[in-house]
Structures are given as structure tokens and as C-alpha cells.
Amino acid sequence: VQHYSWKAKKVNYTLEAKDRIGKFTKLRSNEFHPLKPITVTESSLIKISHRDGHASNSENKSLKSHSSSEKVDFIDPLSMMTAEDPLTKASHSNRVVAAVVNEKADAVVDNSFAELSWTNWKMDVVSKSTVDSQLAATMTSILRTTQGISVSDKMRDRLGQLDEFGEASLQEMLNLSQQEFIDRIHFLSNTLTDAWNTNQKVKSLKIAIQCAKLLGDTSVMQFYPSKFILVTDLLDTFGSLVFERIFSICNGMKANDIKPENVSESAKEICLNWILKVASIRELLPRIYVEASIIRCNEFLKKDQCKSSLIRLNSMTRGVGNPLVALYTRAYLCSVGMQHLSSCGGHFKTCFYDFLSTFKQMYTTPVQNLLAHQKLTMESYLGFYAPALTWILSCVGVQAHDATLNEVFERCNSCGNNQVLFDCCISAFSSKYIASRALVLCTAITKADDKLYPKFRVLQSLGKKLIETAPPNADKLMILNETWKMLVKIRDPGNYIACAVIWVEYAAKYFTQKETNTVLGDIIKHMSPDRVYENFYTELQSVVVRVITHMTSFKSIFAMSRFLPFFDMFQKDGQRVEVCKLVAEYFINDNNEFVTSDATTISGLINEGQVSSAAALICGVILKINFGKDFEQQLSFYVECRASFSGLDNVLATLVHSVNRLSAEVTKIVKGKHTRKTSAFVRACSAYSFITIPSLSDSTTKFGLYLESGQVALISQCVTQADAYRSGLTTILDLATTSKSDTENSFLAHVSNLLSSLLVVPDNTEQGVLFPVEELNVISESDAEIRSDIQCAIYIKVLAMLTAYSQEQYLYHVHKVDSNEDLYSNDPKFMAELSQISTTLLNEVLAYLVAGNKDQKLQSFNAFNLFQTILAHGDITESNMNRLAVAVWEIAIQHGHITPKSMLQMMTMLKNKGGHYKTLAHTLKQQIAA
């Protein structure tokens, strides 16, 4: 390879800046720019839509309706692609679902007519009343679909004889297991639909009747609520089929606006036929259920006939002997009224009062004998009543006046053993109503001597309502005191903590840390004996979440003397880490900075044994802790954190960033004029960073932190500490060795950043001229296997930096830091040293470019890169540099890896620069042609 010497171009940065400003034309507001937001005004919209300058009359009217200054948003294709992205859609879908859930929660509070959902109630009953998880999952699927479940061949054979579906078959269904019963009802629902579609409508009716009979059996009470939902779902299907059959004959009529006078005679005849068929059912219970399922069909015969039929069916329900069966029958009648009638509040109230008239029946000897036979307690038995009773009371509360609700409460209060009634009333009525009468309810609950239904359930329901809506301010503390007096008497730890979880949130939401601290202390007192808290970690974790959610600031949490002792109950490592994460997440999201010396307490909350999983949260906590203007205390905190989390690279990197920011903040405050004290502080910060960085394992992170720390050290005027840039140079070896094709650009960007910083680092006279640059020889002298193309790319970048060193005035400076420009003042020996190093590096690069055993594509790219460096930083007026440019260009294009577009752009740029560059362009063009 021919030997070339490097001649740097002299640049006057001041004149170049003025020249650029002179040529720069400010972009007018109406000019297009790819980074400018796209907006279309009224006038431009007309021009875009109609090239001939004329808009249609309709469009003119549309445009005139807007103000002339109004802008119309235009969505570009990329934005449309983002809007159509499936992940974006999924995220939007999740937000919509969350909004719907929140809306439904609010709807229960408002208690409006349309928002009370029978389907939601059924889903809630399924989740609470099923015996095992498999049953709950199956029930959920049944509510969602009526297809897709298979049954055994034996079951299909049995169900194939539906014409003989009589008492024997009914008795056989009573002997099925829970899962078999669910499969059987599901299959019957499909069979009913298939029979209807094949014009076997009597067979469908028979299935509906026989299934309704199943609701008279209470031999397995635990399963009765779920069985009720299964059967009524089938009955609803039957009722819909009958209604749709009749409605299909009524041409030109809307389903929500049926007028009997407009119904055809044939439709009325069919409707009456079905009603008479149902009326011929001999047994009371199936007749009530089946007639209720088709009650909407009465709309075809006579106005308000539905309401009168519903009242009649409710009166018939008084003949049902079993109180549990009668209550659920009334619940179904209420659901029918809610779905098909616009107003029937009196009917709902009658249903409830009818139940109250038989309320004492639940405590009679026959019922007690039945409970003993099934080995059930009265508490469990009353629990089966609660879902249906709550639904009926919810219907009563819809659009009801306070006087009506007061009347209902008075009726409940006059009954004995009324805790279950109070619980259902509180759960059913609006939180606004309950909150306004909360103190009265507390008094009534206190006086109640019912020992059959657990009082903690009533307190739970009351607490949930008061969290939704605040009671009067004057009553808040008295309610808490009265409730807690009842709560402390609960002996069972499970029942106690289930209720305490609700009321600790009430205390945290409406009171100060003092009251919340008292409640936490009582929980510790109840849960500590015999380490019973180990069985209730989920509930205790819920307490923590509710407390930190309602505290005004994170500082107030640790101001409570009982919080850390409460925290100590989490003895298991896994549970403790989870709770620590919750507290840390809240702390990170808290808008208030934690300006206190209690920052060490935050560090102590993290379990060091399993802290690696919480590294991100620890970083968030560190970033949130702020000691204000006490910078020395802040640095001491970072020192303590480094000792505590020495094994976590992410945390150590965050600490280095934080200390660098602290140093820069002090320099900013003193405006670069350090005193002896502040100077010592920023040097301590710099020492902290350069001591911490070597302990990191990731080379890329280390290299970036060395650069950042060196730059901060320079602006803080810590020139001695900035010598630690040498450590960054040695890290290049590790990066260059591990660099891959997909990370190569990132690595070279780091190198450019390092070299740019070295420009303003003054030489250490004890180590020689340009010592940092000499340190780069470590790359060529190292035994590490560094790719030759990467080594070449680094040397090309160093050539550009050496050119910047050779200028009379450097491009940038650091305040109060003397760079080599001031130290050497273009000393001839210094300039000669620069020229010698540049020439050596140049010939190293040329040797790589002409080597025959290298990747030709990478050689071409590096040659093209070198050519650009020569044009930008070399003096091509020198014949030697001109020949060098031509030779490097020939190497770059000889293998055809440089695109014609790139070559054309290069030629155009050279011609536009004129002078020697234009002559060089002519020479290069001849080479391309050759």
C-alpha cells in the first residue's frame, strides 16, 4: 500500500457558523416540512378536493358551516396504521371493559331501573353458591353459551326417550351428581331448542314443565341456588321461543312497541293457545314458572295484562310450602317484572312482604329437622336465602322513594332474628340511602340479639356501602366507634379479619393517620396470638393496600407507629416481598416527594434475600427519595444504598445516575463558582461514581456511565477526576470484542461520544502529550479478537477528532476548564505530534482497506466512510490529500457495494461546494465511467 500523510483542514468555526446562518431561510408557516404537523384549513381543503378551484354546492355549504380559521385534523397513513394496530385495539378493548365494569359498579349505587342486571346477579350467585371450582367454571360457561358441551352416550339414550319423560325420569335426575345434573340440564336446553325448530313444540313444553318441577326439590340445599339459575335459564329460552313465534306473525310491529289492537287474529289465537296450555299444568310450581317465562306474550292480548298476571302469579306463590323454594320463585317473578314491565314497584314490595309473612317458618321444627338431616347449620341455611332476598330487595329499591325504603326497614326491624334481613337490605339499597341512615342502622344492628346469622356479614355489607358513599361528617366517628365495639367481640380470626379489612379502609378514607393507626393496632392484637396471621396473608395484604391507597402522603404511613409492626406479621419471604413491592409501587406513584431522613426506612422495607425481583421498584424508590437542599445527606443515602444493593446492576447504575445529577445540580446552583466546600462535594460525587462503575458486569452500561461521569466531572471542574476517562477507553476492548452486527451502530455511537468528550479534556503533563489518544493503541496491541472492520471504523473517527485538536480554536469548551487549545496554543511540537499520530492511523486504515483476505462489503463501507472523513476534515487543496481521496474512492466503488444513489449524491455535493471539490468530482466521475 502506498504511504500517505495526513493533512488536516483548518477551520474557522465562527465564520462557518455565520455562513450557515446567512444561507438559512426560515421556514414559512404555510410551507411543507416532514416534521411539521399536518393540518388542513378551509381554503386548502377546497384546493385539495377540487383541482379546478370549484367546490360543489353541498361541499360549499359544509365548508361555510365552519369558521374560516377552523382547522380540520388530517390523519396520515402512519397514524391510521397505529390506530388499526391489534395491540392498540386490545389495549383499547381492555380500557372499554374496565370502563364498563366501573360503570356497572356506579349503576348499582345509583339504583336506576335499567341498570339492575339479572345476568350479573346470576353470575354472582354462581361464584358464591357452587360447591367446587369445576362446577363454578361449568356454570359460567352455561350462562355464556348453550352449545358445545358433550354428554355420554348413555345419557343421550336416556334423553332420547323424552316422550316418556315422566316421574320416573324426574326421579332419575334427582339422583345425578352435580356435574351430571349440569350436563343433563344443558343437554335438555339444546334438545328443547332442537325440538322447537323441528316443529315439536309440545315436546319443548314438556321439557320446560319437567325441568320446572326440579325446583321443588331441596335435598341438596348447597346446590339449590345454582340449580335455580340452570333451570330458569332454560325457561327463559323457552319463553323467548314462544314470544318470537307469535311476534313473527305480527308484520310491521316493533318488539318494544306492541299494541294489542294491531295484533292479527291469528297471532292472538296462537298466543291464547299457549296461555291455555300452560294453564292446564296441574302442579302449582311448574305452572308458576312456565307461565312466568311466557308472561310477555300477554302483551299481544291486552294492555297491562302482563302486570295483572304477575300479581296473580305472586299470589299463587303463597301456596308453595317450602320457604326457600317460595323465595326463589318470587325472585324469578321479580326478574320477569324487571325485564318486561316498565313499572311494577308495588309488585316487588308485595313479594317481599309475602316473604316476611312466612319468615318465622324458617325457624320451625320441620326445617330444623331437614337441616339436621343434611348436616347444615342455620347460618349456612340463611346464607342460601341471602342471594334471592337481596335480588327482591334490589327490585324494591329501584326508583323507590325514601319513604318506601324506610317502611321496608321498619318491617325488617319489627321481625325477630332480623340480621339476615338487615344484611340483604343494606346490600340491595343504594349507598346514598344507606350512608344517610348509617348511624341508625348501627344502633339497630347493635341491639339485634340474633345469634343465628353472623353479625360480621352485616358489618361487612354496611362498610362496603359507606366506602362507596360517605356518611354525614357528624356521624363518621360515632359510626366507626359503634362498629368497632361490635367488631372486637368477634372471636373467630377469619370472620374478624374479613370484616376488619373493610373497616380499616373506612378509617383510612375518612380519618387521619391517628384513627387508622388505632385500627391497625387492634388488628395486630387480634391476629398475633398463636401466629394465626400466617393463615390470613391475603387479607392482611389487602389491609396494606387499602391503607396506603387512602393515605394523603407516603410520609403519613410511616408516621403511624403500628404500620411497621403490622408489616412484621408478613413472615414468609414470598409474601413479604410481594407486600414490599406494593408499598414501593405506591411510593413511586405518589406525587409527593418523601423529603425526610426516614429514607433509610424505605430501604429497610426491601427483603434483601429476594431483592433481585424487586430491582426496578428499588430504583423507583431511590429516584423518589429527596432530601431537598441537604445534598450531603442525599449523598450519604446513596452511599448506604450502594452498600445494601451491591449485587444489583440496575440499582447501582441508578445510583450513579443520581449522584451525577446531584453533582450537576450543585454546580448549577453555584453557577460554576465553587467554594471550597462545594468543590469538595462535587469531587466526592465524582469519586463515588468512578468507584461504583467497575463493580457493574455489563460492559455497555459501564461504558455509558464512564462517559456520563466524566462529562459531569468536567462541568463540575473536577479535572483530576475526569482522568477516569481512561477507564472508559479500556472498556472499549470489551465492547469491541462482544459487538455484533445489530449493535455495531450503537457501539460506534458510544465511541463518537467518548472522542467528542476527550476533545475538551486537558492533557496530564506527567503522562505525555495526547495521552488519552495514545491509550487507543491498546486496541491494536491487545490480544483480544477485535474485528478488523470495527478497529478500522474507530481509527477513522479518531482521525476526525485529531483534526479538531489541530484547530486554532476548538469548536466547544467547558466553563473554567483549560483544554489543550489553551495549554499548547498551536505549539509546533504539539502540531507535529498530531500529524504523526494522524498519519500512523491513516496508514493503519489503508492497510486494512487493501487487504485481500477481508470482507469486501465491509471494506467498501469503511472506505466510503474514510472518503467522507477526508472531505470533511482533510485539506484536499494539498495534492497528497487529493490523491488520497481519489485512491480511497476507487477502493470504495471497486466491488460495487456502494449504491448508485449514494455516489450520485456525493457527486452533487462536491459540485455544489465548488473549487477543488468540483475538480475532484470531475476526476471521480471519470473513475466511475471507467
Side-chain angles (χ1 to χ4, degrees):
V1 61
Q2 183 178 350
H3 182 81
Y4 290 94
S5 59
W6 178 265
K7 178 66 174 178
K9 178 172 65 174
K10 295 296 182 181
V11 181
N12 189 321
Y13 295 115
T14 304
L15 291 178
E16 274 200 353
K18 290 181 179 180
D19 184 55
R20 284 196 302 273
I21 293 173
K23 293 180 180 179
F24 177 74
T25 303
K26 189 173 182 180
L27 193 67
R28 294 193 300 273
S29 60
N30 61 343
E31 286 184 342
F32 173 77
H33 188 278
L35 299 181
K36 186 179 179 182
I38 301 177
T39 56
V40 181
T41 60
E42 177 182 330
S43 58
S44 61
L45 182 62
I46 297 174
K47 292 179 181 178
I48 291 172
S49 302
H50 302 275
R51 299 194 179 195
D52 58 359
H54 299 285
S56 65
N57 292 333
S58 60
E59 288 171 336
N60 280 329
K61 291 178 181 179
S62 174
L63 292 171
K64 288 178 181 179
S65 65
H66 296 281
S67 170
S68 60
S69 61
E70 183 179 3
K71 293 186 178 180
V72 182
D73 292 331
F74 177 80
I75 302 178
D76 61 279
L78 294 179
S79 299
M80 293 174 65
M81 290 173 63
T82 303
E84 295 173 358
D85 181 70
L87 294 178
T88 306
K89 285 186 176 181
S91 175
H92 174 71
S93 176
N94 292 336
R95 291 194 297 270
V96 170
V97 170
V100 170
V101 171
N102 291 332
E103 182 180 350
K104 288 183 177 179
D106 294 338
V108 175
V109 176
D110 294 337
N111 234 8
S112 63
F113 190 88
E115 291 168 334
L116 195 59
S117 172
W118 171 247
T119 302
N120 289 346
W121 177 83
K122 290 194 292 184
M123 294 292 291
D124 186 56
V125 172
V126 166
S127 65
K128 294 178 180 179
S129 64
T130 48
V131 177
D132 52 57
S133 59
Q134 181 183 5
L135 179 60
T138 308
M139 288 292 296
T140 302
S141 66
I142 287 174
L143 290 176
R144 292 178 179 172
T145 180
T146 59
Q147 296 180 350
I149 190 168
S150 61
V151 294
S152 64
D153 294 337
K154 180 179 179 181
M155 188 180 297
R156 288 183 183 275
D157 292 338
R158 291 175 179 174
L159 295 174
Q161 304 173 4
L162 282 171
D163 288 332
E164 293 78 33
F165 193 93
E167 296 300 330
S169 298
L170 177 62
Q171 188 62 36
E172 185 179 352
M173 287 193 70
L174 298 179
N175 295 327
L176 296 176
S177 68
Q178 291 179 9
Q179 189 58 50
E180 288 173 338
F181 184 92
I182 292 171
D183 294 343
R184 181 73 67 89
I185 292 295
H186 194 189
F187 182 76
L188 285 175
S189 179
N190 292 335
T191 305
L192 183 150
T193 304
D194 293 340
W196 185 275
N197 293 333
T198 56
N199 206 26
Q200 301 180 63
K201 297 180 173 56
V202 175
K203 185 176 181 179
S204 298
L205 175 60
K206 184 178 289 188
I207 294 174
I209 293 171
Q210 297 300 334
C211 287
K213 288 182 180 181
L214 298 174
L215 294 177
D217 174 64
T218 58
S219 56
V220 184
M221 289 191 190
Q222 300 95 321
F223 185 54
Y224 190 84
S226 295
K227 179 167 67 172
F228 168 79
I229 289 173
L230 280 168
V231 174
T232 54
D233 195 54
L234 181 146
L235 293 173
D236 287 340
T237 301
F238 174 74
S240 298
L241 292 172
V242 174
F243 178 84
E244 290 169 6
R245 166 77 177 96
I246 302 171
F247 182 75
S248 63
I249 307 175
C250 303
N251 297 324
M253 190 176 295
K254 296 181 180 180
N256 58 353
D257 187 24
I258 297 176
K259 297 179 179 179
E261 59 270 18
N262 296 333
V263 177
S264 64
E265 290 300 324
S266 59
K268 288 184 177 180
E269 183 179 354
I270 294 175
C271 177
L272 186 61
N273 182 34
W274 274 107
I275 292 175
L276 292 176
K277 282 180 182 179
V278 172
S280 65
I281 299 174
R282 289 174 297 175
E283 296 187 32
L284 177 62
L285 189 64
R287 177 179 175 180
I288 295 174
Y289 272 104
V290 177
E291 184 174 351
S293 68
I294 66 167
I295 198 168
R296 191 182 179 190
C297 298
N298 286 279
E299 296 179 12
F300 297 107
L301 299 177
K302 185 179 179 181
K303 187 178 181 181
D304 295 332
Q305 183 67 27
C306 289
K307 187 173 182 179
S308 60
S309 297
L310 197 61
I311 294 173
R312 175 175 50 82
L313 290 175
N314 181 59
S315 299
M316 294 170 61
T317 306
R318 297 168 185 169
V320 178
N322 190 310
L324 183 65
V325 175
L327 179 64
Y328 275 87
T329 305
R330 293 185 177 98
Y332 185 63
L333 294 178
C334 288
S335 76
V336 171
M338 288 294 297
Q339 294 176 54
H340 305 309
L341 299 180
S342 58
S343 61
C344 49
H347 160 69
F348 300 141
K349 190 167 65 169
T350 302
C351 285
F352 178 67
Y353 288 165
D354 284 352
F355 165 76
L356 286 184
S357 65
T358 61
F359 182 63
K360 293 181 180 180
Q361 186 182 354
M362 294 188 295
Y363 304 97
T364 59
T365 301
V367 174
Q368 297 295 330
N369 293 337
L370 180 61
L371 296 181
H373 177 70
Q374 297 191 25
K375 298 180 181 180
L376 293 174
T377 63
M378 181 56 73
E379 177 183 336
S380 302
Y381 179 64
L382 292 175
F384 304 144
Y385 280 81
L389 189 54
T390 300
W391 171 255
I392 294 173
L393 287 167
S394 297
C395 297
V396 172
V398 172
Q399 297 181 344
H401 296 290
D402 286 357
T404 301
L405 302 183
N406 290 338
E407 179 187 338
V408 171
F409 262 117
E410 288 300 324
R411 287 284 192 98
C412 295
N413 199 26
S414 62
C415 295
N417 299 318
N418 54 10
Q419 293 281 32
V420 66
L421 301 178
F422 283 152
D423 186 20
C424 295
C425 286
I426 292 171
S427 300
F429 295 163
S430 70
S431 59
K432 182 179 180 181
Y433 173 82
I434 298 298
S436 64
R437 291 155 180 80
L439 189 57
V440 176
L441 286 172
C442 279
T443 304
I445 296 170
T446 303
K447 293 180 179 179
D449 58 352
D450 185 3
K451 294 181 173 57
L452 300 178
Y453 190 80
K455 188 169 289 187
F456 83 91
R457 295 189 186 278
V458 188
L459 296 178
Q460 270 186 303
S461 301
L462 179 61
K464 290 177 182 178
K465 290 294 183 179
L466 296 184
I467 290 172
E468 291 178 13
T469 303
N473 292 331
D475 297 343
K476 287 180 180 177
L477 184 57
M478 195 175 299
I479 292 171
L480 180 61
N481 291 334
E482 292 297 322
T483 302
W484 210 262
K485 288 177 183 178
M486 292 182 277
L487 194 59
V488 296
K489 297 178 182 178
I490 301 175
R491 296 184 179 277
D492 182 81
N495 295 343
Y496 170 83
I497 192 62
C499 194
V501 166
I502 304 298
W503 285 94
V504 75
E505 182 176 3
Y506 174 86
K509 183 174 183 179
Y510 298 126
F511 298 98
T512 64
Q513 62 197 43
K514 178 182 177 181
E515 289 78 7
T516 307
N517 189 49
T518 303
V519 173
L520 288 178
D522 189 75
I523 295 176
I524 295 172
K525 179 181 177 181
H526 274 77
M527 304 304 292
S528 295
D530 301 324
R531 300 174 65 90
V532 71
Y533 53 77
E534 293 180 351
N535 301 321
F536 301 100
Y537 280 134
T538 302
E539 290 79 3
L540 294 176
Q541 182 173 321
S542 181
V543 169
V544 174
V545 172
R546 293 166 189 257
V547 168
I548 65 178
T549 300
H550 293 290
M551 285 290 99
T552 56
S553 69
F554 197 80
K555 181 178 180 180
S556 61
I557 295 175
F558 283 92
M560 295 186 294
S561 60
R562 298 294 184 180
F563 185 77
L564 289 180
F566 183 90
F567 200 86
D568 289 337
M569 288 195 292
F570 295 94
Q571 297 293 324
K572 290 184 179 180
D573 289 343
Q575 288 289 338
R576 189 175 182 85
V577 170
E578 286 301 316
V579 177
C580 288
K581 288 181 180 180
L582 289 172
V583 176
E585 286 173 355
Y586 172 78
F587 178 59
I588 293 169
N589 296 327
D590 187 15
N591 294 326
N592 301 312
E593 290 185 329
F594 196 30
V595 187
T596 174
S597 58
D598 283 344
T600 309
T601 307
I602 306 301
S603 176
L605 286 175
I606 306 299
N607 185 351
E608 296 175 24
Q610 298 185 13
V611 77
S612 57
S613 61
L617 292 175
I618 297 172
C619 294
V621 170
I622 290 172
L623 293 174
K624 282 285 291 182
I625 295 175
N626 186 356
F627 289 83
K629 298 299 182 180
D630 192 348
F631 299 113
E632 292 181 346
Q633 183 64 26
Q634 190 81 42
L635 182 59
S636 298
F637 168 69
Y638 292 144
V639 172
E640 292 177 7
C641 288
R642 180 175 63 184
S644 300
F645 310 117
S646 57
L648 299 176
D649 277 15
N650 289 345
V651 177
L652 293 179
T654 299
L655 289 171
V656 173
H657 285 306
S658 300
V659 171
N660 288 337
R661 185 176 66 249
L662 188 64
S663 178
E665 185 178 353
V666 171
T667 301
K668 180 180 179 181
I669 290 175
V670 299
K671 298 180 180 180
K673 300 178 181 179
H674 283 288
T675 63
R676 180 179 298 178
K677 183 177 181 179
T678 59
S679 180
F681 179 79
V682 294
R683 285 199 300 271
C685 291
S686 183
Y688 178 100
S689 297
F690 288 114
I691 290 172
T692 306
I693 294 172
S695 60
L696 299 175
S697 56
D698 182 65
S699 298
T700 303
T701 305
K702 288 170 65 175
F703 190 63
L705 290 175
Y706 275 129
L707 288 178
E708 177 189 298
S709 301
Q711 291 166 352
V712 172
L714 278 178
I715 66 172
S716 300
Q717 302 165 26
C718 303
V719 179
T720 306
Q721 281 75 12
D723 269 349
Y725 268 124
R726 294 170 53 190
S727 303
L729 291 171
T730 57
T731 313
I732 288 181
L733 275 177
D734 297 330
L735 286 176
T737 304
T738 58
S739 179
K740 299 179 181 179
S741 57
D742 57 339
T743 59
E744 181 178 331
N745 291 335
S746 175
F747 164 70
L748 293 177
H750 278 306
V751 172
S752 297
N753 193 353
L754 172 65
L755 297 176
S756 300
S757 301
L758 288 177
L759 178 64
V760 291
V761 177
D763 279 345
N764 189 326
T765 54
E766 297 178 358
Q767 296 172 335
V769 178
L770 295 177
F771 178 77
V773 179
E774 292 288 349
E775 283 280 299
L776 288 171
N777 289 332
V778 73
I779 295 177
S780 58
E781 297 173 358
S782 171
D783 296 331
E785 296 181 0
I786 301 175
R787 283 168 39 193
S788 54
D789 61 293
I790 293 180
Q791 183 176 333
C792 176
I794 294 174
Y795 286 165
I796 292 172
K797 291 184 177 296
V798 175
L799 277 175
M801 184 196 70
L802 292 174
T803 300
Y805 266 129
S806 66
Q807 304 304 318
E808 293 183 2
Q809 183 180 4
Y810 288 176
L811 181 59
Y812 45 84
H813 306 81
V814 176
H815 181 61
K816 289 195 174 183
V817 175
D818 294 331
S819 57
N820 288 341
E821 168 195 15
D822 303 301
L823 295 180
Y824 297 111
S825 299
N826 289 326
D827 182 87
K829 292 183 179 180
F830 176 68
M831 301 302 290
E833 185 73 18
L834 285 174
S835 179
Q836 179 184 348
I837 297 174
S838 300
T839 300
T840 301
L841 291 176
L842 173 63
N843 286 283
E844 288 277 353
V845 172
L846 293 174
Y848 161 77
L849 295 179
V850 299
N853 59 344
K854 304 297 182 182
D855 187 316
Q856 293 179 351
K857 184 177 181 179
L858 293 177
Q859 282 180 317
S860 297
F861 288 160
N862 273 317
F864 194 70
N865 190 10
L866 177 60
F867 178 76
Q868 292 174 307
T869 302
I870 293 171
L871 295 182
H873 303 285
D875 186 1
I876 66 166
T877 59
E878 294 283 335
S879 58
N880 178 62
M881 292 296 294
N882 200 296
R883 290 194 305 272
L884 173 63
V886 174
V888 172
W889 177 260
E890 183 178 356
I891 296 172
I893 67 172
Q894 65 180 347
H895 299 299
H897 294 294
I898 305 302
T899 63
K901 181 180 179 180
S902 298
M903 290 189 288
L904 179 60
Q905 289 176 340
M906 184 61 67
M907 294 298 103
T908 303
M909 184 272 292
L910 290 174
K911 290 178 183 179
N912 291 337
K913 290 178 73 71
H916 290 83
Y917 294 97
K918 189 174 182 178
T919 305
L920 177 61
H922 180 70
T923 305
L924 299 181
K925 189 174 182 180
Q926 290 178 343
Q927 278 193 350
I928 296 174

